[in-house]
Amino acid sequence: MNPFRNLSVIRKLVQLAAFVFFVYGGVIVGPYLADKLSIALPALSCAYDTQAADLCTLIPFQHQMDHRLGTVIANGGNFMMGLMPTLITLGTFLLLFVILNKAFCGWVCPLGAFQEFLHIVGQKLGLRRHESLGAETVRRIRPLKWLILVVLVFMFPLMTGLGWLNHDLGDPFCRICPSRILTSLATGDTSQVYVNTANATTLIFSLIADFLFGLMIVLGLTVRQPFCRICPMLALHAVFRKIGLLRLVKNSKPRCDKCGLCAKVCPMDIREIHTEMEKRDVTFEDCTLCGRCVEFCPDKDVLQLKYLGFPVFSASPAYFKKRNKAQKLWEKANLAALRKRRAEAGKAET
Amino acid sequence: MAIKAGIISSFILFAVLYGTAPAAGLLDGELMFHPMNQGGGGHQHGQSSGRPGGKAYMLMNGKNSIMRMWKPDGEPVTIEISGDYFDLPKTGVDNYHAVVVDRKLEGVQDSYVRYIYRRGKPAGHSPAELLAISKSTLEVVPDPLPREHQRYQSGETWPFMVRFKGEPLANVEVALKTAHGNGSDAVSDKEGRVRLHIPDDFFDVVEWERDKRRADFAVTVEHQDGAMRYRSHLGAQYELNPMHWRSTTLGVLVIGIGMLAGAFLGRVRGRDSREAG
């Protein structure tokens, strides 16, 4: 299969370019590029990375809850004036979000790309991978992203602004976010790898952050997108997914019942793509619009990525055949298989 | 070195103001400009009071000097100096501003520059534009200006650029001095760039305990051009390096524990899936 007609290859190239741009973009266009862009990127790109080309919107949300809304409420000021910066950030976020919808996760996010590349490393090392998590595990994990969004991105910072919590809880999500450690390390800055003994709050949060980062790296070798499953950005996207212009659309057929390939290849283990037979819009809350389900759907036009209602990528039997063959070749090329082949060749010689 | 003696004494005054160093005398005539509270030093959240404008500043030896403030869009505003203490006027925009005091004495032209941050709405202009503007005949420019979560911290080395009449000035000695009397110096390269180390020089630091003390430092350069001697200072604040209460070694260790936990989880899941299927 021509790699440039393979959606997964195209997506990886876009992810790589986005990673370089959002992590090192300042090197090319100066360190203040972020001031010219949105500072409300619908993907995890960290302000602690000083060469970053834009900033994740979760940063201003937390600061505005703490320094603006919370402070205004606590001091009896004008509520709308306190809320206005948050609304501006939300508006900027939505302007960008509408363009790509949840594809920001699957195509743009530096942390998402890093986890995908980790998984490739795991595959090439021949590690035993878990292609999908169990339905019960997925069901248990799903609410975590909502909990993190509500509690760490909005509630704790707001309570800090109100003066109910200490200032170290003003940006609690950033304190545990693996992107903070990843993107700063990627620029050669080790200052974000630490255990902070300033007080109990900083100690706990820094321990969680480091542990989570280590956990994500090793799990990422064998499990697809481990952190994405609990990422609050995924939850924030889910809230507004109905206004995005890019959608995953399903035209169910009776054969769908027996297939289920779409759910099997989904990196987020969304089994509902397979089981949903009524709804046409199947951009579920965990969907990152990566398009893998469309690639591996063997029936014509059953699954489609549509932009403004127009199909931009549709399932087709011809594409499926080529893609499936390419995937098998890709899977075979790994260190464990190479060793096995060498061992077999050695045995044959003796 | 005359310039070193001058800035050491200047910073002893800062130290007195901030309560971070013992009192000492001040050399006569040294030009200085600095905020009266620690929140106005030119950084973002967590450091300023959040009120745009209206902060009190102090100007020392500013007689016969001209004070101008550059807005983020590069438009200069002349500030009338009515005394040693004053508020900088509101400019209608937030974000980074540059305040420059110029003073001409017989045969000597002094300038003092501070970049201040006014929290609020984005200005629509990158601070790079503000830095690119020639604001004084001789000037030291942060290259880059610490932004977002960055701050000047003790023990760090930061790049600066020296410009004379808007052009990079090579082979000139540039000195950094802190309020605690320590410093470093270096010679600018052919592009006018210089990297200066900020000493880790706060007193009585207790390891593992957070300490939010800040103090001023200044980067000073002098240049003779014909009969005129130019002298310029860039003033800014630095804070105690948080590595006094943060451990990278422990951080790496905890990441390692997380990786072990990930490997354990992976093995358990692998065993479960083998048993299941």
Side-chain angles (χ1 to χ4, degrees):
Chain A
M1 184 182 198
N2 181 347
F4 296 106
R5 292 187 172 214
N6 180 331
L7 187 72
S8 287
V9 172
I10 296 168
R11 191 169 64 86
K12 293 286 188 304
L13 291 174
V14 173
Q15 281 180 305
L16 189 63
F19 185 93
V20 171
F21 180 68
F22 286 111
V23 177
Y24 305 104
V27 175
I28 305 156
V29 288
Y32 307 110
L33 183 66
D35 298 304
K36 294 175 188 166
L37 294 180
S38 70
I39 321 185
L41 189 74
L44 297 190
S45 177
C46 190
Y48 285 89
D49 163 18
T50 50
Q51 298 295 342
D54 203 358
L55 311 181
C56 154
T57 198
L58 301 179
I59 299 164
F61 275 140
Q62 290 172 87
H63 284 313
Q64 285 153 3
M65 289 294 111
D66 177 6
H67 297 297
R68 290 300 166 99
L69 189 59
T71 313
V72 163
I73 295 171
N75 297 335
N78 185 327
F79 179 78
M80 277 314 291
M81 287 297 283
L83 192 62
M84 193 54 75
T86 307
L87 294 177
I88 292 169
T89 301
L90 183 64
T92 317
F93 164 83
L94 290 176
L95 274 176
L96 288 174
F97 179 74
V98 163
I99 300 167
L100 282 185
N101 201 346
K102 292 163 72 59
F104 271 103
C105 289
W107 292 70
V108 173
C109 179
L111 190 64
F114 176 69
Q115 291 173 86
E116 291 212 28
F117 294 130
L118 268 181
H119 201 65
I120 292 173
V121 171
Q123 192 270 323
K124 291 300 160 205
L125 289 174
L127 300 177
R128 180 183 286 273
R129 291 170 305 141
H130 315 296
E131 285 303 338
S132 53
L133 295 180
E136 184 58 21
T137 310
V138 173
R139 191 187 64 78
R140 281 185 193 162
I141 290 173
R142 275 183 182 169
L144 280 177
K145 63 180 176 297
W146 293 102
L147 193 71
I148 293 173
L149 178 70
V150 172
V151 176
L152 295 191
V153 177
F154 290 104
M155 201 170 93
F156 275 10
L158 183 62
M159 289 167 81
T160 304
L162 290 167
W164 297 350
L165 298 174
N166 73 56
H167 184 70
D168 291 308
L169 286 164
D171 55 354
F173 175 68
C174 291
R175 286 174 188 269
I176 64 157
C177 179
S179 193
R180 174 176 58 85
I181 299 176
L182 171 74
T183 54
S184 55
L185 276 179
T187 59
D189 174 11
T190 57
S191 67
Q192 295 306 313
V193 177
Y194 58 75
V195 168
N196 188 335
T197 58
N199 58 43
T201 307
T202 59
L203 180 64
I204 291 167
F205 274 84
S206 58
L207 287 172
I208 292 172
D210 295 335
F211 183 83
L212 198 60
F213 185 68
L215 190 71
M216 182 196 76
I217 286 177
V218 173
L219 278 183
L221 293 168
T222 56
V223 177
R224 294 181 298 191
Q225 311 301 106
F227 183 77
C228 297
R229 297 163 192 268
I230 60 165
C231 180
M233 188 66 86
L234 190 71
L236 194 63
H237 285 189
V239 174
F240 300 104
R241 67 184 189 272
K242 295 292 178 194
I243 61 166
L245 301 179
L246 185 65
R247 302 282 175 89
L248 179 64
V249 175
K250 185 177 179 182
N251 309 295
S252 305
K253 286 189 178 172
R255 261 164 58 90
C256 289
D257 248 352
K258 295 170 191 162
C259 177
L261 262 178
C262 53
K264 200 179 164 197
V265 298
C266 175
M268 299 296 281
D269 296 312
I270 307 169
R271 288 175 174 77
E272 294 86 336
I273 304 173
H274 169 217
T275 56
E276 180 60 60
M277 293 294 172
E278 301 296 322
K279 284 184 197 165
R280 279 178 58 79
D281 185 352
V282 286
T283 319
F284 292 106
E285 67 175 45
D286 277 6
C287 181
T288 62
L289 288 172
C290 66
R292 240 173 110 78
C293 54
V294 187
E295 284 188 280
F296 286 91
C297 176
D299 281 350
K300 188 167 169 51
D301 296 343
V302 166
L303 281 169
Q304 289 179 310
L305 283 175
K306 282 190 169 181
Y307 202 85
L308 271 169
F310 297 102
V312 287
F313 184 65
S314 302
S316 90
Y319 180 91
F320 168 74
K321 274 182 195 166
K322 286 180 191 168
R323 182 68 183 85
N324 206 27
K325 197 176 164 187
Q327 185 65 23
K328 279 178 183 162
L329 283 174
W330 172 257
E331 297 273 342
K332 273 184 191 169
N334 67 60
L335 211 58
L338 187 71
R339 272 196 207 141
K340 202 176 165 185
R341 278 201 296 276
R342 279 190 180 170
E344 281 169 2
K347 270 184 192 173
E349 278 176 17
T350 54
Chain B
M1 299 260 286
I3 60 165
K4 287 187 181 177
I7 53 180
I8 285 171
S9 55
S10 304
F11 281 99
I12 288 169
L13 177 75
F14 283 149
V16 175
L17 287 165
Y18 292 148
T20 52
L26 169 72
L27 279 190
D28 282 345
E30 195 71 39
L31 183 65
M32 280 195 305
F33 160 67
H34 65 96
M36 287 301 293
N37 57 46
Q38 294 203 19
H43 294 302
Q44 296 202 27
H45 37 68
Q47 288 204 9
S48 67
S49 64
R51 190 165 60 93
K55 284 196 187 76
Y57 289 84
M58 183 183 185
L59 178 67
M60 294 289 290
N61 302 313
K63 198 177 173 188
N64 299 323
S65 58
I66 298 165
M67 182 179 276
R68 283 170 297 173
M69 178 157 64
W70 268 263
K71 290 159 62 176
D73 61 2
E75 186 193 333
V77 179
T78 303
I79 301 165
E80 200 170 313
I81 301 170
S82 53
D84 293 340
Y85 304 93
F86 58 92
D87 281 357
L88 288 175
K90 291 182 179 179
T91 58
V93 282
D94 299 312
N95 226 274
Y96 288 98
H97 289 61
V99 181
V100 181
V101 187
D102 280 309
R103 184 183 64 174
K104 215 172 201 175
L105 301 172
E106 197 179 333
V108 179
Q109 188 167 322
D110 267 335
S111 67
Y112 198 100
V113 184
R114 282 191 93 98
Y115 290 87
I116 60 164
Y117 183 75
R118 294 182 153 181
R119 269 172 58 176
K121 287 177 283 186
H125 293 272
S126 166
E129 295 172 38
L130 187 65
L131 296 180
I133 298 165
S134 178
K135 293 171 281 290
S136 187
T137 312
L138 176 67
E139 62 181 325
V140 180
V141 185
D143 182 33
L145 192 68
R147 68 165 177 87
E148 284 303 317
H149 292 94
Q150 271 194 320
R151 281 148 204 169
Y152 290 121
Q153 290 174 342
S154 61
E156 290 181 340
T157 300
W158 280 82
F160 300 89
M161 183 195 267
V162 184
R163 280 196 308 238
F164 182 66
K165 295 179 179 171
E167 296 297 322
L169 185 62
N171 298 318
V172 64
E173 187 173 325
V174 187
L176 180 149
K177 282 289 169 191
T178 71
H180 303 106
N182 302 303
S184 62
D185 51 54
V187 176
S188 63
D189 65 14
K190 60 183 178 186
E191 289 171 333
R193 289 203 165 83
V194 67
R195 291 178 65 82
L196 293 166
H197 183 73
I198 305 170
D200 194 9
D201 61 354
F202 284 83
F203 303 122
D204 304 323
V205 175
V206 180
E207 295 299 319
W208 305 106
E209 281 185 21
R210 180 154 59 186
D211 189 334
K212 289 185 169 179
R213 274 181 292 171
R214 274 173 278 157
D216 261 58
F217 72 84
V219 181
T220 301
V221 63
E222 282 196 33
H223 179 63
Q224 187 79 33
D225 186 48
M228 185 65 83
R229 191 158 66 96
Y230 294 90
R231 185 166 54 191
S232 185
H233 313 271
L234 169 74
Q237 280 190 332
Y238 73 113
E239 62 182 26
L240 182 61
N241 198 311
M243 281 305 158
H244 284 287
W245 58 94
R246 287 176 181 176
S247 167
T248 302
T249 310
L250 283 178
V252 171
L253 189 70
V254 178
I255 288 176
I257 293 169
M259 291 172 86
L260 285 174
F264 175 73
L265 269 177
R267 280 184 72 86
V268 169
R269 278 199 50 76
R271 192 190 59 208
D272 290 351
S273 59
R274 277 197 300 279
E275 285 171 1

